[in-house]
Amino acid sequence: MRLPIPPSTLLSVIATQNEIVARGLPLGDVVGLVCARAAELTSASGASLEMAEDGRPDARCGSASSPDVVTAPLVHRSRRVGALKVFSPRRQRLAADPAEVLGLLCEVVAAHMEQAEQHETLERAARRDQLTGLGNGAYYDQRLAREVLAAVGAGRHLSLCLLELDGDADGDDGLCALARILQGLRESDDAFRIGEREFAVLLPGTSLLGGRVVAERLADRVAGIGHGQLSARYGVAAMTDPDPRRLHTAAAQLIGPAGALPAAV
């Protein structure tokens, strides 16, 4: 016989949802809070939320040594993505059906997962150039500052290549063709469209010489777009100063015909 869920338990679940919204918790913290609340509301000795192998965070609360386990599925977009579990030798003392309580808490997690994905989608769109799919100018400023800080902290190289396109190659088609080339760089590198025909390439761990090699190869590939109707001028700079504006300015000042000597800040 199933025990009814007490009003106090329902209110606690609602309070959990309100706390998540009010504090703007990230998904990992949401999972931790839900696990703690699950153990509390079911008088269990511990709880865990185990996710499918999709890289999402999980959390555990208490000890999982008890064989007495109650499980509720976590369903997101009509797909089972995990399970919320409580474990306790004292299940007979529960004042409500633990599976019902876990089901309510799973709905809280699923709702937050949906919100988190929507927020991530909007954030990703705000960082991207709509035409090329590369990072936009605002995102470039953020990444440049972050990569400079990381390079200074780790004592590693960081080079920046700025490209400006000349000539015509089917308008937007030429820009998209270059974007596809830039997307084929190393996974650690990142490219951005920072102007109408201006692009930036961040090269973490790359020296000044290495940055120039990358720039020359990119310029050669640009020359192959649109039957030679497009060319690229570039400037390359290597970071030796913790001010990201200096690195950008140095590369911008060196933009010129292919073969121009790069500069180090």
Side-chain angles (χ1 to χ4, degrees), residues 116-149:
E117 288 184 0
Q118 291 176 356
H119 181 69
E120 182 180 348
T121 298
L122 290 174
E123 276 200 336
R124 187 165 52 245
R127 296 195 301 260
R128 295 293 159 184
D129 173 62
Q130 292 186 356
L131 175 64
T132 64
L134 299 176
N136 57 24
Y139 187 41
Y140 164 67
D141 290 338
Q142 297 174 18
R143 282 294 307 277
L144 176 62
R146 189 186 314 161
E147 291 297 341
V148 167
L149 184 63

Side-chain angles (χ1 to χ4, degrees), residues 133-220:
L134 299 176
N136 57 24
Y139 187 41
Y140 164 67
D141 290 338
Q142 297 174 18
R143 282 294 307 277
L144 176 62
R146 189 186 314 161
E147 291 297 341
V148 167
L149 184 63
V152 170
R156 71 182 184 196
H157 292 296
L158 173 64
S159 290
L160 170 65
C161 171
L162 298 180
L163 294 166
E164 287 191 4
L165 299 187
D166 287 327
D168 294 314
D170 300 324
D172 291 348
D173 289 343
L175 299 177
C176 292
L178 174 56
R180 288 191 292 271
I181 292 172
L182 295 177
Q183 288 165 345
L185 294 170
R186 298 180 308 174
E187 186 175 351
S188 60
D189 302 333
D190 209 350
F192 311 81
R193 185 187 181 196
I194 59 175
E196 184 66 26
R197 296 166 70 84
E198 292 83 41
F199 296 80
V201 183
L202 281 169
L203 303 165
T206 301
S207 67
L208 178 61
L209 179 59
R212 188 184 183 196
V213 169
V214 171
E216 290 175 344
R217 289 176 178 172
L218 290 174
D220 287 342

Side-chain angles (χ1 to χ4, degrees), residues 222-259:
V222 168
I225 299 174
H227 305 289
Q229 298 178 43
L230 199 64
S231 62
R233 298 180 295 119
Y234 66 83
V236 181
M239 186 213 70
T240 59
D241 188 299
D243 186 345
R245 294 170 298 182
R246 290 180 181 270
L247 179 57
H248 178 90
T249 298
Q253 289 176 342
L254 268 291
I255 292 177

Side-chain angles (χ1 to χ4, degrees), residues 26-39:
L27 184 57
D29 291 345
V30 169
V31 171
L33 175 61
V34 165
C35 284
R37 199 57 47 86

